[in-house]
Amino acid sequence: VQLVESGGGSVQVAGSLRLSCAASGITYGSYCMGWFRQAPGKEREGVATFDSDGDTSYGDSVKGRFTVSLDSANNTLYLQMDNLRPEDTAMYYCAAATTGVCMGDLRFQRNQYGVWGQGTQVTVS
């Protein structure tokens, strides 16, 4: 099982980026998928989730600006990030958990996720 993120980079304030998470060894429709981020010196925080039914949820700090979606044909999860702010600067990770995680209060708890990608850096300035 492997998750590989890509699409990070440097962008100006109010700009956009789209992150990708390509999966091998799993089928997204059978898992709860999460996007997390970690800034230097801070805890890893949940950004968005995408569950096996296609339902999504977002952290308060990104609601209305970030959108998570799935390209099932290519088994790739995306995180579209618009209107980026300096405080969005972080390493971004995708992660997989059992499907039930997305439906509960623990969906943004990192210890619920057993498979992680290596991360992709996003810098907003």
Side-chain angles (χ1 to χ4, degrees):
V1 177
Q2 188 176 24
L3 301 174
V4 179
E5 303 95 334
S6 62
S10 295
V11 63
Q12 293 183 336
V13 173
S16 297
L17 281 174
R18 188 178 76 161
L19 306 184
S20 300
C21 178
S24 59
I26 66 171
T27 302
Y28 279 127
S30 301
Y31 290 84
C32 166
M33 299 303 301
W35 281 101
F36 288 76
R37 66 185 182 186
Q38 188 166 17
K42 294 189 176 181
E43 293 289 319
R44 191 169 297 188
E45 67 167 334
V47 173
T49 64
F50 187 98
D51 76 9
S52 57
D53 292 327
D55 293 327
T56 58
S57 65
Y58 299 92
D60 289 341
S61 61
V62 306
K63 280 180 183 177
R65 301 187 299 121
F66 289 13
T67 304
V68 59
S69 62
L70 174 67
D71 179 351
S72 56
N74 292 308
N75 214 32
T76 300
L77 190 73
Y78 297 103
L79 183 68
Q80 176 68 40
M81 306 186 297
D82 298 316
N83 193 20
L84 284 161
R85 305 167 178 168
E87 55 264 38
D88 296 318
T89 295
M91 185 72 80
Y92 283 73
Y93 301 88
C94 66
T98 55
T99 187
V101 168
C102 273
M103 295 181 286
D105 294 336
L106 300 178
R107 62 188 179 277
F108 288 138
Q109 295 292 321
R110 59 177 293 185
N111 60 8
Q112 299 296 311
Y113 293 77
V115 181
W116 292 83
Q118 84 290 348
T120 186
Q121 177 68 37
V122 172
T123 302
V124 185
S125 61

